[in-house]
Amino acid sequence: MPNTPWSATSDNLDQDCHNWSGGLRFRPSRLEVPESEEAVAALVRTAARQGRCIRPVGSAHSSSEIYLTDDILVSLAKIRGLGDHDAQRHRATVGAGSQLTELSKELQAAGMTLSNFGDVATQTVGGAIGTGTHGSGRNSPNLSMMLVGGRLVTAEGEIRALGFDEEPDLLRALRVSFGTLGILTWATLELEPLHDLHRQEWCLGFEPCMEALDRLSRENRNFDFYWYPRSDEVKIRCLNTPGEEKDYGAFARLAKDETGPPHAVIPQHSDLPHRFEEMEYSITAEAGTECLGKLRARIKERWRRWVGWRLLYRYIKADDSWLSEAYGRDSVSISLHQNATLPYWDFFLDLEPIMRDHGGRPHWAKKHSLRAAELKSLYPMWDRFLALRQEMDPHGRFLTPYLRRLLGC
Ligand SMILES: Cc1cc2nc3c(=O)[nH]c(=O)nc-3n(C[C@H](O)[C@H](O)[C@H](O)COP(=O)(O)OP(=O)(O)OC[C@H]3O[C@@H](n4cnc5c(N)ncnc54)[C@H](O)[C@@H]3O)c2cc1C
């Protein structure tokens, strides 16, 4: 299984599995890597007969417990690559186990690209879609909005074809459902024709960045920034169609300038030397700077000596996926980081209430302390999602104790 953080199989599962950061360790009773969609379906049927739990996993980059199980863990690593595609309509059906890095190269050869990426492209299609992974841009929704169809192995072990046009509500629920409605085997994605982006990074002071923030976020295709607590400086990251970029030389210093296809210039970190833990909340775009101001003040007052990590501020376009962080509202996300080997919970738990006070919704794949009662009030479609989940998986084949607590079922 390339690029997953463990190499165990069912035959040599004699050590704990762990996630990317190393902070989560667990030992499934079996790790399965089926060769085909039919084999995934057969696994689920057997699990159903035996009354067992089955969890899909991608590259194990999530640092919340959403795939942890002591029962059956199934990797889609062998269901990968570019399937049927239509470069004229910019649509492709791809294996849900495909890693975005590899998949992007296949799409490039076919003249297409994903419209956006996160900071890395080591996620799988199934994992990135299932958690609402996002990049940044006022007009860029999260990656799961690319899902317009595909194939799902249901809790009964049947293979169900999916299409947004035929069942829009199922797709709205499925896009961000972290494997609780079924196992996605093939994903049909709405893509873009291959194009280049010009990436420029500029360094400037915090105050000048805040003064220009609204304009900066509107005049760049993709825009986000890092705030560095120790220097109180900011690095803005701007990506545009070549020729449409702006010159910020009057108030900022150019730190990076490169052009290439989206997969080459949006994800910036392929092999991060330091493993970190992360807490991220999304709040409305309007509340973003006020929330940031309070976080900055608290970090300067209490944490600057202990936490050297930068804070990341990004934009996510509103969408209609029921459990998406950006459901129904243009959002900004604020991410906090700390070394995975250092204590991080005190830092996160001190700052989490500030983001919650601003109506924050936590990233499903990252650290947070919320459970069903608090989450329900943040998601207008929560009850509909739970009703659909109950209908699709009445015996909780895809649920673990953590997911039962998270969802309240
Ligand atoms: C270094 C790093 C950088 C990151 N950068 C960003 C970023 O820029 N933006 C952002 O939003 N997030 C980011 N993340 C979070 C990351 O995108 C998510 O954790 C994502 O889910 C990881 O994909 P994965 O393939 O590792 O999925 P996993 O972590 O393995 O799984 C995630 C969830 O998806 C489910 N799942 C996996 N495959 C399937 C399938 N085939 N069918 C159904 N369910 C499935 C799993 O059960 C689990 O619930 C980052 C994480 C790391 C470690």
Side-chain angles (χ1 to χ4, degrees), residues 77-383:
K78 291 185 179 165
I79 303 182
R80 66 201 308 160
L82 183 56
D84 290 346
H85 56 280
D86 181 342
Q88 301 300 316
R89 293 176 64 220
H90 323 127
R91 281 205 173 189
T93 298
V94 304
S98 311
Q99 244 201 350
L100 300 186
T101 318
E102 291 170 6
L103 178 66
S104 299
K105 291 179 191 147
E106 289 185 70
L107 290 173
Q108 180 179 25
M112 293 179 284
T113 174
L114 302 187
S115 45
N116 207 0
F117 291 85
D119 262 8
V120 295
T122 36
Q123 305 95 336
T124 61
V125 169
I129 286 177
T131 54
T133 291
H134 60 89
S136 184
R138 277 195 182 264
N139 290 313
S140 299
N142 69 38
L143 272 56
S144 45
M145 285 302 281
M146 285 186 256
L147 185 75
V148 291
R151 291 161 73 85
L152 186 78
V153 172
T154 67
E156 286 82 40
E158 286 165 5
I159 296 169
R160 179 166 175 178
L162 308 163
F164 186 83
D165 293 341
E166 293 76 24
E167 296 177 288
D169 278 349
L170 175 58
L171 267 286
R172 289 185 184 111
L174 180 72
R175 279 177 176 145
V176 184
S177 59
F178 31 92
T180 57
L181 300 184
I183 301 178
L184 190 66
T185 48
W186 292 90
T188 302
L189 304 179
E190 184 101 63
L191 301 162
E192 290 184 354
L194 186 64
H195 56 87
D196 274 350
L197 288 174
H198 183 190
R199 179 185 186 100
Q200 292 181 302
E201 296 181 359
W202 304 83
C203 295
L204 66 162
F206 181 81
E207 299 299 347
C209 177
M210 288 302 107
E211 279 160 29
L213 190 60
D214 193 56
R215 173 165 75 90
L216 291 169
S217 67
R218 289 182 196 282
E219 62 189 21
N220 291 287
R221 177 193 191 269
N222 303 98
F223 170 84
D224 60 21
F225 69 86
Y226 283 118
W227 168 62
Y228 296 84
R230 288 190 177 152
S231 66
D232 207 21
E233 289 200 327
V234 162
K235 179 159 79 180
I236 61 172
R237 310 190 294 178
C238 311
L239 288 111
N240 291 289
T241 302
E244 293 181 5
E245 59 284 278
K246 301 284 181 291
D247 184 352
Y248 300 126
F251 61 97
R253 176 174 53 82
L254 188 63
K256 188 176 221 175
D257 196 318
E258 62 183 20
T259 300
H263 68 268
V265 294
I266 301 180
Q268 286 294 291
H269 309 292
S270 55
D271 189 19
L272 286 160
H274 301 295
R275 300 288 152 125
F276 56 78
E277 297 294 355
E278 182 174 357
M279 171 177 277
E280 177 190 306
Y281 270 76
S282 286
I283 53 191
T284 62
E286 297 78 43
T289 50
E290 184 190 300
C291 182
L292 173 64
K294 290 187 178 160
L295 291 170
R296 175 171 169 255
R298 179 70 63 87
I299 291 171
K300 285 171 83 167
E301 176 197 327
R302 289 192 192 165
W303 296 104
R304 191 155 49 167
R305 284 186 61 202
W306 313 106
V307 181
W309 281 85
R310 54 204 183 178
L311 174 154
L312 177 56
Y313 190 96
R314 295 188 274 191
Y315 291 81
I316 317 168
K317 186 182 158 118
D319 64 48
D320 63 356
S321 305
W322 292 356
L323 294 192
S324 163
E325 271 184 276
Y327 177 85
R329 60 192 209 188
D330 287 326
S331 301
V332 297
S333 69
I334 301 183
S335 309
L336 310 167
H337 305 84
Q338 173 63 308
N339 287 40
T341 51
L342 295 175
Y344 53 85
W345 268 118
D346 284 353
F347 173 53
F348 290 166
L349 292 179
D350 187 40
L351 295 164
E352 189 179 39
I354 299 177
M355 299 193 275
R356 290 196 58 204
D357 282 351
H358 288 80
R361 294 173 179 159
H363 195 305
W364 295 110
K366 303 182 185 180
K367 299 291 187 198
H368 67 88
S369 70
L370 303 200
R371 291 293 178 265
E374 295 123 336
L375 290 162
K376 179 180 163 73
S377 66
L378 296 170
Y379 288 93
M381 301 302 277
W382 185 260
D383 288 339

